[in-house]
Amino acid sequence: KGVEDYDDIILEQFTLPGEDCAFCPELYREVTALMLKEEASEDEKAYYSELLAISGRPENIETLTNAIRDAANEDNAEIFAESLELTLGGDNVVELLSNFLEDKNELLQESSVAAITNQGSKFAAQTLYERAVRRKDPNGDYNLGIGLGEMIPDESTLPYLQELTLKKDEYSHMAVKSLLNYGYDGVVLVFDALTNSTNPEQDKKIL
């Protein structure tokens, strides 16, 4: 019924249902089977895969990563990757997705970065920052609309971002962007870093 109208209200009701959901394991088995049916329409594949992505369950996220890899064609892979980008979950989901940050499959790699970007936790921020440093990529995937500079952080992530900002190196601008994405309190932290600065030229470069 939800697929017929691509009903977002139904999707909202199945967002992060929690560990105490007794019927969820059976539900997700059925949803996975429906998603992987050869005769499934594009809307069906998209809807069912989105249902898995918003479940917050690592096993369902892993199902999606496998579906991207094993997709019969590029269109199917794109559908599953777009859903993976909508992933919700805790640090256990981030840890799983971090395994694909250097994957040979570029679609899986990029959608995993996007999914981690959506999380906002300190661990997610660290994972994205470390990827940028490891790859010697000061832009940190920002040109793709993903990465630390696109993250809307949780409140608990702000001190870590402030720490990165105060490093004032070639990667600091990503943390500044993320702080600004948070809103007022993030802007205050950025201004604090600038007010107490002894290197205005470097500040200009970061800004």
Side-chain angles (χ1 to χ4, degrees):
K1 182 71 172 68
V3 171
E4 284 176 18
D5 304 316
Y6 217 95
D7 191 335
D8 288 336
I9 293 173
I10 291 176
L11 287 175
E12 284 172 19
Q13 290 174 340
F14 285 94
T15 300
L16 301 173
E19 291 303 318
D20 58 346
C21 173
F23 65 84
C24 278
E26 181 58 30
L27 168 75
Y28 291 128
R29 275 194 294 274
E30 291 182 17
V31 166
T32 300
L34 289 167
M35 178 185 82
L36 296 176
K37 275 171 68 174
E38 275 187 44
E39 62 271 26
S41 68
E42 287 189 3
D43 274 357
E44 287 173 324
K45 289 186 179 83
Y47 198 84
Y48 295 136
S49 57
E50 189 172 338
L51 200 61
L52 295 180
I54 61 176
S55 69
R57 298 183 174 224
E59 63 272 21
N60 290 341
I61 309 308
E62 190 169 15
T63 296
L64 275 181
T65 61
N66 291 335
I68 294 168
R69 275 193 175 140
D70 302 336
N73 55 60
E74 200 172 315
D75 288 344
N76 284 351
E78 287 276 1
I79 289 169
F80 298 141
E82 284 176 15
S83 290
L84 184 64
E85 291 178 9
L86 302 173
T87 293
L88 299 174
D91 284 346
N92 54 351
V93 167
V94 174
E95 190 168 0
L96 171 67
L97 290 167
S98 68
N99 295 319
F100 306 107
L101 295 184
E102 309 299 336
D103 201 90
K104 291 175 186 173
N105 185 317
E106 287 188 17
L107 185 62
L108 176 55
Q109 182 185 137
E110 191 176 311
S111 55
S112 296
V113 174
I116 293 173
T117 302
N118 287 338
Q119 304 317 308
S121 69
K122 180 184 176 183
F123 181 52
Q126 287 173 321
T127 301
L128 295 172
Y129 177 76
E130 287 165 9
R131 167 183 157 86
V133 172
R134 190 168 60 246
R135 292 164 64 91
K136 297 187 169 86
D137 174 19
N139 282 321
D141 297 299
Y142 190 71
N143 57 324
L144 298 174
I146 53 180
L148 182 58
E150 285 286 353
M151 174 184 278
I152 299 173
D154 299 338
E155 185 178 358
S156 59
T157 310
L158 297 184
Y160 173 68
L161 294 173
Q162 185 179 29
E163 183 186 314
L164 295 182
T165 299
L166 292 173
K167 280 187 173 184
K168 302 210 171 166
D169 60 15
E170 59 192 318
Y171 301 98
S172 292
H173 70 94
M174 297 188 299
V176 170
K177 289 182 174 86
S178 187
L179 284 171
L180 296 175
N181 291 341
Y182 183 80
Y184 179 81
D185 290 343
V187 174
V188 169
L189 291 175
V190 171
F191 270 75
D192 284 349
L194 296 173
T195 303
N196 299 317
S197 173
T198 55
N199 192 338
E201 286 306 312
Q202 198 163 25
D203 294 339
K204 284 180 187 175
K205 191 174 178 184
I206 288 173
L207 290 172

